[in-house]
Amino acid sequence: MTLLLEVKNLKKIYATRFGNVQVQALANVNFSAEAGEYIAIMGESGSGKTTLLNILASLDKPTGGEVLLDGQSTFQIPEGRLAAFRRDKLGFVFQDFNLLDTFSLKDNILLPLVLSGMEYKEMLGRLGPIAQKLGLTDILEKFPYEVSGGQKQRCAVARALITSPRLILADEPTGALDSHSADGLLALFREINAAGQTVLMVTHSVKAASNAGRVLFLRDGEIFHQLYRGRRSNEEMFGLISDTLTAMATGGERHA
């Protein structure tokens, strides 16, 4: 497999408003991801998950360390090219969908391609297969307020996929969904990952994480432990993840 993402010695320190107190959000985080992996990141609130995701998304800069995507340092990309880099290389799926209510589902999905200046005919050529695969073909002309939470999230996934990104970054993607819709989204993630899409998901949900091929656990800004699926079932992963979270909460030793 091809090495896609490298995170090296990542540190992030935030200073308070007057600079007299510093808070370390990330401390020497190291991991890599190969193309086609499905990775979940877990940890309690304040563990550094959101900070890590924002740095991977090039929305925040670290205090130290580097992130390489396809061998390119994301911190060396000029400010004027960052938006295009995120649009072309990364796909985003958020807990609250981040859809524009005044746009139809179709227009929401096509928005990244519009911003990139793609010809309309080519946009439609990309839209058709993705909409069919995600079960959106019959509701493309509807608006976000006219569809269910699960349909909104599938629209958000379609928007993330339509640029053929190198990496999907998902932030608590099942957090706003009922159990039925969450199950549908997780099945969809498994399907797009099986087709070769690399997925990195931040989640509090043990059930969601148990679908991943690897789970990274953050505690106090460091990688506490990681689990590989191997031949384990979702049920076996669920049990191991639960045990690891318990060990983290009760002060177990770091095993990364």
Side-chain angles (χ1 to χ4, degrees), residues 127-186:
L127 176 64
I130 289 176
Q132 184 175 11
K133 183 175 184 178
L134 272 60
L136 296 169
T137 304
D138 294 336
I139 58 171
L140 285 175
E141 300 303 328
K142 290 185 178 293
F143 289 83
Y145 56 82
E146 297 179 302
V147 301
S148 69
Q151 290 169 324
K152 289 179 186 177
Q153 195 59 295
R154 280 189 279 131
C155 176
V157 173
R159 181 184 58 193
L161 289 173
I162 200 152
T163 60
S164 301
R166 296 291 286 146
L167 177 65
I168 292 285
L169 297 173
D171 186 9
E172 298 286 359
T174 62
L177 302 178
D178 59 49
S179 59
H180 177 73
S181 297
D183 287 345
L185 180 66
L186 294 173

Side-chain angles (χ1 to χ4, degrees), residues 5 55 68 115 128 144 172:
L5 177 71
I55 291 174
L68 303 175
L115 294 174
E172 298 286 359

Side-chain angles (χ1 to χ4, degrees), residues 2-215:
T2 304
L3 189 62
L4 174 67
L5 177 71
E6 296 176 84
V7 177
K8 299 181 177 181
N9 305 315
L10 208 60
K11 300 178 179 67
K12 180 65 178 181
I13 298 173
Y14 292 103
T16 58
R17 182 177 177 184
F18 298 105
N20 56 340
V21 177
Q22 293 187 332
V23 177
Q24 184 161 280
L26 296 176
N28 202 38
V29 173
N30 291 274
F31 72 93
S32 60
E34 295 181 335
E37 277 202 88
Y38 182 178
I39 299 173
I41 297 177
M42 302 195 77
E44 295 181 344
S45 296
S47 62
K49 300 188 308 298
T50 299
T51 299
L52 176 59
L53 193 70
N54 286 340
I55 291 174
L56 295 180
S58 302
L59 297 171
D60 195 3
K61 291 186 180 295
T63 307
E66 63 179 337
V67 173
L68 303 175
L69 185 67
D70 281 329
Q72 178 184 18
S73 173
T74 60
F75 308 140
Q76 294 178 3
I77 300 171
E79 196 69 31
R81 291 178 50 206
L82 270 178
F85 169 80
R86 286 191 289 264
R87 184 178 63 238
D88 296 340
K89 297 287 189 178
L90 305 174
F92 299 93
V93 181
F94 304 96
Q95 177 176 337
D96 57 359
F97 318 127
N98 279 18
L99 300 177
L100 299 175
D101 283 336
T102 55
F103 280 28
S104 67
L105 299 189
K106 174 183 175 181
D107 290 340
N108 268 285
I109 296 168
L110 293 178
L111 183 58
L113 302 184
V114 173
L115 294 174
S116 70
M118 183 177 289
E119 293 288 337
Y120 187 64
K121 183 178 180 180
E122 186 178 349
M123 292 186 207
L124 294 183
R126 289 196 183 193
L127 176 64
I130 289 176
Q132 184 175 11
K133 183 175 184 178
L134 272 60
L136 296 169
T137 304
D138 294 336
I139 58 171
L140 285 175
E141 300 303 328
K142 290 185 178 293
F143 289 83
Y145 56 82
E146 297 179 302
V147 301
S148 69
Q151 290 169 324
K152 289 179 186 177
Q153 195 59 295
R154 280 189 279 131
C155 176
V157 173
R159 181 184 58 193
L161 289 173
I162 200 152
T163 60
S164 301
R166 296 291 286 146
L167 177 65
I168 292 285
L169 297 173
D171 186 9
E172 298 286 359
T174 62
L177 302 178
D178 59 49
S179 59
H180 177 73
S181 297
D183 287 345
L185 180 66
L186 294 173
L188 176 59
F189 271 19
R190 289 195 301 272
E191 184 179 343
I192 64 175
N193 173 248
Q197 178 65 59
T198 310
V199 179
L200 192 150
M201 171 178 64
V202 166
T203 183
H204 280 99
S205 168
V206 176
K207 183 175 184 179
S210 65
N211 283 261
R214 178 159 51 123
V215 185

